Amino acid sequence: MRKTVFITGATSGIGEACARKFAQGGYNLIITARRAEKLAEIKAQLEAEGAKVKTLTFDVRDAQAAQAAVESLDEEWQKIDVLINNAGLALGLDKEYEGDPEDWNTMIDTNIKGLLTMTRLIVPGMVKRNEGHVINVGSVAGDAAYAKGNVYCGTKAAVKAITDGLRIDVAETAVRVTNLKPGLVETNFSNVRFHGDNERAENVYKGITPLTGADIADVAFYAASAPKHVQIAEVLILATHQANGSTIHRQ
């Protein structure tokens, strides 16, 4: 029987790459995001390649909408084998005392509370079946703060702690829990962070060959494909010339 993966934030970057990787790996997919048109486009592409895809349109910040979406799944889609909590973002790059509180709220509500919402909705089924895998997309930013990253780094530190806590909570079950911590990945991440300032976003990746969404998807798939007695608890993935969140050698 084909397994099912549930991916949040699946319309771009790491989320979209995970959808394509897991489709290639023979999974059925439930892909979610806010943009219905983009979800439909990806669904059509993947189904043309032989995948079976279900789309759910909602914002993970809206707990009621998330619950309604999950509860709308009919019986054939209710057994979720892998949950990839990917939806997340950074907004702004300001000193903490000069930051925009609206940006803070969006990051906290998406990166922390959205992840918790999806975990609360899906993991009880995994525990009941005594099988499943939660893959949370954290960040190198969760290991140590970098200049002007304050709140974003704080949210990713929370992802690490929440992931570790969940792993403890399900230790008596066969549910596995993984935290992926990417470094510099070239996606639309920086465009979002700088509120659409493409020139500023492009400068983030100058002088270094960054990771791609596909690189992170490869690691996610590897973790999900490990033997049942193997739990890939945490993986830090960096570009070759990146040592940590703040040390980057540019050519």
Side-chain angles (χ1 to χ4, degrees):
M1 180 180 291
R2 286 165 65 114
K3 292 184 177 181
T4 298
V5 60
F6 188 113
I7 306 170
T8 66
T11 51
S12 64
I14 294 171
E16 181 179 356
C18 283
R20 297 187 185 281
K21 180 68 178 182
F22 278 77
Q24 291 167 5
Y27 278 73
N28 294 332
L29 290 92
I30 302 171
I31 55 175
T32 83
R34 294 174 296 170
R35 296 183 289 167
E37 183 177 334
K38 182 63 175 176
L39 280 173
E41 179 184 326
I42 294 171
K43 172 183 168 72
Q45 291 172 357
L46 295 179
E47 287 187 334
E49 297 169 4
K52 189 173 183 180
V53 184
K54 175 81 171 176
T55 63
L56 297 174
T57 306
F58 65 91
D59 189 329
V60 295
R61 292 178 296 172
D62 187 336
Q64 289 185 332
Q67 181 175 353
V70 171
E71 291 179 349
S72 74
L73 294 170
D74 54 35
E75 188 174 352
E76 71 170 317
W77 289 102
Q78 288 175 3
K79 181 180 179 293
I80 294 164
D81 299 283
V82 180
L83 166 64
I84 301 180
N85 277 316
N86 166 73
L89 76 170
L91 289 172
L93 194 64
D94 305 296
K95 292 184 177 180
E96 189 171 320
Y97 59 86
E98 297 174 336
D100 184 339
E102 288 190 16
D103 285 349
W104 299 346
N105 287 334
T106 300
M107 286 186 283
I108 291 167
D109 289 347
T110 305
N111 300 357
I112 302 175
K113 293 166 69 176
L115 180 149
L116 286 170
T117 293
M118 300 315 304
T119 300
R120 183 65 181 85
L121 289 170
I122 293 174
V123 172
M126 293 180 174
V127 171
K128 185 177 181 180
R129 295 189 302 272
N130 196 35
E131 63 178 355
H133 195 160
V134 178
I135 299 175
N136 290 333
V137 179
S139 172
V140 63
D143 287 345
Y146 55 75
K148 300 182 181 180
N150 40 77
V151 175
Y152 173 70
C153 294
T155 66
K156 290 304 184 177
V159 169
K160 173 175 169 51
I162 289 166
T163 306
D164 290 346
L166 178 62
R167 193 180 305 110
I168 294 167
D169 291 338
V170 300
E172 71 274 18
T173 76
V175 177
R176 301 184 294 183
V177 183
T178 300
N179 181 23
L180 300 183
K181 303 189 299 183
L184 202 61
V185 184
E186 188 168 12
T187 63
N188 67 343
F189 176 88
S190 292
N191 301 75
V192 172
R193 162 167 261 173
F194 298 128
H195 299 281
D197 186 336
N198 292 331
E199 182 178 353
R200 192 176 178 191
E202 288 172 3
N203 285 334
V204 172
Y205 309 108
K206 281 188 176 179
I208 187 171
T209 302
L211 301 166
T212 67
D215 295 326
I216 310 307
D218 285 345
V219 179
F221 190 81
Y222 170 78
S225 303
K228 287 188 176 182
H229 71 286
V230 177
Q231 179 170 215
I232 308 299
E234 186 170 284
V235 185
L236 175 64
I237 313 111
L238 300 175
T240 297
H241 292 289
Q242 178 177 18
N244 54 35
S246 57
T247 305
I248 300 170
H249 175 72
R250 301 179 189 273
Q251 301 290 339

